[in-house]
Amino acid sequence: MPLLARVMVVVTIGVLLPAAILQSARADPAGARRPVIHIEDVARFYELYDATNGHPTAAGLQDYIDHGSDGLRYFAKARNTTGVRIAAAIAEHPAMYSDARRCMAVLPRVRLRVAAALHKLTELYPEARLLPVTIVVGRGKPVAIGDNRAGVEVGLEALCAVNWMNPDVEDRFVHVVAHEYGHVQQFLAFTDDDHPTVLAGSLMEGAAEFIAGMTSGDISDSFFKQTTKGHEKEIETAFIADEDSADLSKWLYNGTLEKPGDLGYWVGYRICTAYYQHAGNKRRAFRDIVEITDPRLFLAESGWYPGIELK
């Protein structure tokens, strides 16, 4: 693991920063070792959006990408986001972009809470990589990505639109960032597998959910706590039947902005929780969850079984 970088949280909205945001920045209690949290790309997008009455050109949007933050450019390259594709998304879903303004208001509080969550992460896992968090405006998807190359990138408009994840927008942003930051800590050999099994993919996402829960206070897909209640054994018996399959479509990456999905996140989270609860050394168990490399061995050692009752 590389040494932790010593970095500071930076919040910039346009040229003028409201006094309330400046005050909240000075009040940040999380200490000197913090990730940079960029939100200036959001302000740049809406300056362009307003100047064009909500109809920015593909060329103008490409300029927004090309002259944006490192995180925005990485996000665009990683997910094939171009000015043409953003322009098409705005034309197809204009309400998503106009509605996303409401989520800008929570960003100062999100910044403080994420900083506190990541400070907690460094207590639980001192080797944690503190890479940047960048909030941008994209083409409506993906909601967020995270890895140990560039940190975490969040699409404001996409996450703002996924109301089924958490009705409280501030909570939604905090827990999703904490989840993606879990991926920042995971080994690339695990997260970059081009053909994961259902088990491997679910443990990768479930571990990120567990990290989010331990650091930010909740998981990103907390609605599963209620929607799966009483159906755990049924769901998890079906999961076992598919755990070695390379077809992820029933369990992972099948949600949309309007429809819940990704049930594998929940099963993976429960497996990680079982591992942690059965472990005598909790600090070691947290490290094991972050550093999963052998999904089948981890499952065997977790003590998990379909329908297991967890605290």
Side-chain angles (χ1 to χ4, degrees), residues 117-245:
L118 300 186
H119 181 68
K120 177 67 173 177
L121 174 62
T122 64
E123 293 179 342
L124 294 170
Y125 188 64
E127 300 88 348
R129 301 171 179 89
L130 295 185
L131 300 183
V133 175
T134 308
I135 300 178
V136 305
V137 178
R139 60 183 177 89
K141 61 183 180 180
V143 166
I145 60 175
D147 61 40
N148 64 23
R149 299 182 189 91
V152 172
E153 295 81 36
V154 178
L156 178 88
E157 81 297 343
L159 185 51
C160 197
V162 190
N163 292 316
W164 53 263
M165 291 186 75
N166 192 315
D168 185 299
V169 172
E170 181 182 312
D171 286 346
R172 190 187 315 165
F173 272 73
V174 170
H175 303 317
V176 165
V177 171
H179 169 100
E180 295 300 334
Y181 225 84
H183 291 316
V184 172
Q185 313 312 318
Q186 292 172 326
F187 292 126
L188 282 177
F190 186 46
T191 60
D192 277 12
D193 186 349
D194 291 333
H195 303 288
T197 63
V198 167
L199 175 61
S202 296
L203 283 178
M204 180 183 71
E205 299 295 355
E209 288 286 70
F210 183 83
I211 295 165
M214 291 288 286
T215 58
S216 72
D218 206 351
I219 61 176
S220 66
D221 290 338
S222 59
F223 72 97
F224 279 133
K225 292 179 179 179
Q226 297 303 319
T227 58
T228 64
K229 194 169 181 142
H231 303 284
E232 293 88 351
K233 186 172 184 178
E234 171 191 350
I235 292 167
E236 292 166 5
T237 299
F239 178 86
I240 285 181
D242 291 339
E243 66 182 16
D244 293 323
S245 173

